[in-house]
Amino acid sequence: MKFSLIFFVIILLSACKNNRANYSEIAQIIPVEGIAKQEHPGKKLMENYCNVCHNPKTAEKDIIAPPMIAVKMHYISEETTKEEFVDAMLDWAKEPSVAKSKMPGAVKKFGLMPYQFYPEQTIRHIADYIFENDIEEPVWFDNHYKKMHGDRPKMKGKKGNSRGKGKKKGIGKNNTIEQHSSKEKGMQISQTTKAELGKNLMGQIQKNGVIEALNFCNVQAMPITDSMATVHNATIKRVTDKPRNPKNTANSQELEFINQFKTQIATGREVEPILVKKGNNTEFYLPIVTNAMCLQCHGSPGKELETITLAKIKQLYPLDMATGYSENEVRGIWSINFNN
């Protein structure tokens, strides 16, 4: 599925309120459960968003990003205030860069974290929770840290003493998905696929530049997505109303959901994925939102989109419609189907 070279999505959750008559075959719209009043909102947000890539239950050999306890240890010292930590997380989420990172070893090992569109309040909740609370860490982390760095540093806030809670298998290519709700399963499928695509594409951009990355995307994006579909035993598509490749054209129902997400993004509302239950299967829809990096291949010709890049796009995709975007626009959606 080759409609986009560079995209990074927001991972936010919602219920579908569509009552159109032509969707009468939809058996059930799955509601998203609320967060318990006594629970810090950042805990669930961190588990739903961050742990997809930073999962503390993932085996060391399968990790695709450092666990969140490692992030906490690198960004919080005895002198760090909560305000400083929250501001650092906001600044990082807005535009991840090598220069901003306090974890050069992680950047070297895993690559630079892809940009993801999160509302500011979401980042504030997550950062506040991380600063103020113990957070779960992998069973292997303590030995790993001592081997690599020696004694653990002193931090303000709580250090994350929830050791030994991550004994279940994580999400790796050789592992099966743990039992989760349909909402969580859809999020895992979309995020792990996005991470695999992003890791490969960003590697090509960093090593060989945008033009060579276009060649790579043209050949490898679909096989990578298909391989992740096999891992998850699901159907995974990326579809749009303005395709680069005609094979990625959205159908009528997908177009309706794209328009719903466009309205929500344009009005600044937090958006959530749409889940539709049909018999034993669940359909999961999540928006793909543009950012500044996306505009290198999806922006306006003569502005963000360079002439040489546009020429290459026309060569690879003669029917391309996927230009003229600005930041924070819905480029398309993840359309995922899996068995309950």
Side-chain angles (χ1 to χ4, degrees):
M1 299 171 184
K2 302 176 283 188
F3 82 88
S4 175
L5 167 63
I6 308 174
F7 66 86
F8 301 108
V9 305
I10 60 173
I11 305 304
L12 306 168
L13 318 170
S14 174
C16 173
K17 297 181 180 178
N18 188 299
N19 295 315
R20 290 171 58 98
N22 60 327
Y23 297 153
S24 59
E25 77 277 7
I26 296 178
Q28 177 184 355
I29 301 298
I30 302 175
V32 176
E33 297 179 358
I35 298 174
K37 291 183 179 179
Q38 69 274 18
E39 183 179 80
H40 192 299
K43 180 177 186 294
K44 182 59 68 174
L45 291 170
M46 185 186 74
E47 291 171 350
N48 286 343
Y49 304 159
C50 305
N51 284 2
V52 173
C53 294
H54 302 268
N55 196 332
K57 294 180 173 64
T58 302
E60 185 174 6
K61 65 183 180 63
D62 293 324
I63 58 173
I64 60 174
M68 292 306 294
I69 183 61
V71 176
K72 180 170 183 173
M73 292 172 67
H74 280 81
Y75 278 80
I76 299 177
S77 70
E78 289 188 290
E79 292 75 35
T80 307
T81 66
K82 184 197 296 187
E83 182 180 9
E84 290 170 340
F85 177 65
V86 172
D87 287 345
M89 293 298 98
L90 286 168
D91 185 51
W92 172 260
K94 183 178 180 180
E95 187 179 4
S97 70
V98 175
K100 292 179 183 178
S101 177
K102 295 183 180 181
M103 304 178 69
V107 172
K108 183 177 180 180
K109 181 176 182 179
F110 302 109
L112 187 66
M113 171 181 155
Y115 168 84
Q116 300 178 68
F117 175 74
Y118 291 132
E120 180 177 320
Q121 191 60 31
T122 296
I123 302 301
R124 288 188 179 277
H125 280 316
I126 293 172
D128 185 272
Y129 173 74
I130 291 173
F131 189 91
E132 292 288 356
N133 293 273
D134 289 341
I135 58 175
E136 185 177 354
E137 63 182 70
V139 293
W140 50 264
F141 180 75
D142 197 48
N143 288 335
H144 167 83
Y145 190 91
K146 289 178 180 177
K147 180 180 178 181
M148 299 297 295
H149 306 288
D151 293 337
R152 293 169 69 137
K154 294 182 179 180
M155 299 179 291
K156 274 190 176 179
K158 295 187 178 181
K159 300 182 182 180
N161 295 320
S162 301
R163 303 177 191 175
K165 293 184 178 179
K167 295 182 180 179
K168 296 179 180 180
K169 287 186 177 181
I171 305 167
K173 290 184 177 181
N174 298 319
N175 293 329
T176 58
I177 291 183
E178 299 172 9
Q179 293 301 312
H180 295 285
S181 70
S182 296
K183 173 189 67 177
E184 292 169 331
K185 185 172 181 179
M187 288 166 50
Q188 287 184 330
I189 293 172
S190 61
Q191 281 293 78
T192 53
T193 304
K194 180 211 64 159
E196 190 67 20
L197 284 166
K199 178 177 67 176
N200 282 276
L201 293 175
M202 286 303 298
Q204 285 295 315
I205 293 170
Q206 291 166 351
K207 293 178 183 177
N208 303 312
V210 173
I211 298 301
E212 287 304 313
L214 273 167
N215 286 323
F216 175 85
C217 183
N218 181 260
V219 175
Q220 294 296 331
M222 185 178 293
I224 290 172
T225 304
D226 290 345
S227 69
M228 295 303 293
T230 300
V231 168
H232 293 292
N233 191 27
T235 300
I236 305 174
K237 297 189 298 179
R238 293 176 294 141
V239 297
T240 179
D241 55 338
K242 293 174 62 178
R244 177 148 284 173
N245 184 329
K247 292 181 180 179
N248 299 116
T249 302
N251 61 34
S252 59
Q253 178 170 296
E254 292 163 341
L255 285 171
E256 181 67 24
F257 294 151
I258 287 171
N259 289 330
Q260 287 186 38
F261 287 132
K262 283 184 177 181
T263 299
Q264 292 168 349
I265 292 291
T267 56
R269 286 181 285 166
E270 287 200 23
V271 297
E272 303 177 351
I274 295 170
L275 286 85
V276 180
K277 184 177 174 59
K278 292 185 177 180
N280 293 325
N281 283 10
T282 294
E283 296 176 355
F284 177 91
Y285 303 95
L286 191 73
I288 296 169
V289 180
T290 57
N291 59 74
M293 294 185 67
C294 300
L295 303 187
Q296 294 179 73
C297 292
H298 296 289
S300 298
K303 292 184 178 180
E304 306 91 353
L305 188 57
E306 296 182 356
T307 301
I308 188 172
T309 304
L310 181 60
K312 187 64 177 181
I313 291 170
K314 289 182 176 179
Q315 176 189 341
L316 295 174
Y317 306 97
L319 301 178
D320 176 58
M321 298 171 60
T323 59
Y325 285 94
S326 300
E327 290 187 63
N328 297 332
E329 290 187 337
V330 176
R331 167 76 186 94
I333 58 174
W334 291 95
S335 177
I336 298 171
N337 186 297
F338 53 86
N339 188 275
N340 298 325

